[in-house]
Every structure is written in C-alpha cells, then in structure tokens.
Amino acid sequence: MPSSPSGSSAVASAAPSLRISRFATWRAGIPARMNGWGALRRPALLAVAVGVVGCACAIYLSWRSTGRLATVPWMPEAVGRWADEHGRFRNLPAYFLLSCPFLLAAPRLGIRAWSALALAVFGAVLELAEYFVPVRMVEWQDIAWSWAGVAAAWGAIEAGGWIRTRRRARKMNTLSLLSDPDRKPLVAARSV
C-alpha cells in the first residue's frame, strides 16, 4: 500500500516545528500559555468589563427619580457636588470616561467608529427613557453633551494612536540611521 502525503509521516514532520516554536517562546521568556489570542485579549476584556460596569452605573443614574448625584450613597461627595453644580455639562466628562474603555479595547478604526456610534445611541436612549421616569424630563442638551463626550474620547484615542505611531516611526528612523548611514529616513526631517 503506497503512503499518502497526508499519512503519519506528514504529522510527524509537523510535530518538531511545534516543539521548536514552544522552545523559542520559552527561551524568549514568554510562557507558552500566554502566546496567541489569550494574552492579547485579556486587557481588552478587562476594559470591556470596566465599560459594562460603567454602563450599568449610567443606567442606574439615569433612571433614578432624582437627578441629584449628591444623594447617591456610593458616589464621592465632591464628585456629586460638582456634578450637581454643573448641570447638563456633567454629561461630557461622564460619557468621556464611559467611552474610553470601549474605545481602548477596539483594535481598529472601524470598530472604534462603531463603538462610538453605539455609545452615542446608548446615551440618547438613556436620555429618552427618562420620559417614563415620573419626575425626570428629556432634554436635548443632555443628549448633545453626551455625544460631545463620546466624540471627545474618540478624538483623544485617535490622537493618542497617531502620536504613538509617529514616535515609533521616529524611533525606527533613529535606529535605522544608527545601523545604516546610507539608508533614507522613514520620516522626513523637519527643517528649522
């Protein structure tokens, strides 16, 4: 019976490469269980968990019978007093902080855009749901400030990513100049 390429010899030849890969990661000081998706997803999952807790707090605060945050037992007194003094504007920092974990967990621009849109819709739905709370009322300014907070967080995350990319490019440019003086720089030098 002739041996096929998909026989046991092909499986045996694949096994050493797996051992070499594990050995290479062990030698680099990275445990094998930390390689791949598990290691990359843990911070993102933690960020999303923090964001979900923030969404739960937002739902609780929006559907209370009073809009006064100084009466919330678990909120620091200074934060509650500041929020009550600043009225509608308090939605800007609140939605900025609420958006950051979700936007930081998103790996690509498209996912961050959809996350920002979902958070803007979430803020609008929460405000519109106040129509059904007896003492509360819907105000378009609250929706506008919540959208501004989401937009500010998205802009800050994108600006931070752009700055980080520029710094990495400059660092690589410096390293390439040190290793090969005849190589053209990756980033054009500024003229003074």
Side-chain angles (χ1 to χ4, degrees):
M1 201 179 209
S3 65
S4 65
S6 63
S8 62
S9 62
V11 173
S13 66
S17 66
L18 180 62
R19 282 190 217 128
I20 291 170
S21 174
R22 286 188 179 168
F23 175 74
T25 58
W26 171 78
R27 188 167 182 184
I30 304 168
R33 70 180 188 282
M34 293 296 287
N35 290 346
W37 289 104
L40 297 176
R41 286 190 174 178
R42 285 189 183 115
L45 289 176
L46 179 64
V48 169
V50 168
V52 167
V53 169
C55 286
C57 291
I59 291 169
Y60 169 74
L61 294 173
S62 291
W63 290 350
R64 291 178 64 228
S65 61
T66 179
R68 291 183 34 89
L69 295 181
T71 61
V72 177
W74 46 266
M75 185 167 297
E77 185 180 333
V79 173
R81 191 173 48 247
W82 181 89
D84 289 340
E85 290 172 2
H86 289 86
R88 294 180 190 113
F89 178 74
R90 67 184 173 191
N91 285 349
L92 180 104
Y95 277 89
F96 182 91
L97 293 175
L98 179 66
S99 300
C100 284
F102 292 110
L103 295 174
L104 287 171
R108 294 188 311 269
L109 177 64
I111 297 173
R112 285 190 296 273
W114 282 107
S115 298
L117 179 65
L119 288 163
V121 168
F122 175 74
V125 167
L126 278 184
E127 185 62 30
L128 293 173
E130 288 182 10
Y131 176 78
F132 300 104
V133 179
V135 182
R136 306 287 294 268
M137 53 193 251
V138 178
E139 295 176 331
W140 68 268
Q141 295 94 341
D142 285 342
I143 296 173
W145 281 114
S146 65
W147 288 355
V150 171
W154 188 21
I157 299 294
E158 293 302 324
W162 183 80
I163 290 169
R164 193 175 87 211
T165 303
R166 290 283 296 202
R167 285 185 180 169
R168 284 183 182 174
R170 280 197 185 137
K171 184 177 181 182
M172 290 185 68
N173 187 21
T174 303
L175 292 175
S176 68
L177 287 175
L178 291 175
S179 64
D180 187 12
D182 297 331
R183 190 175 197 177
K184 290 185 178 180
L186 296 173
V187 178
R190 291 184 182 171
S191 61
V192 180

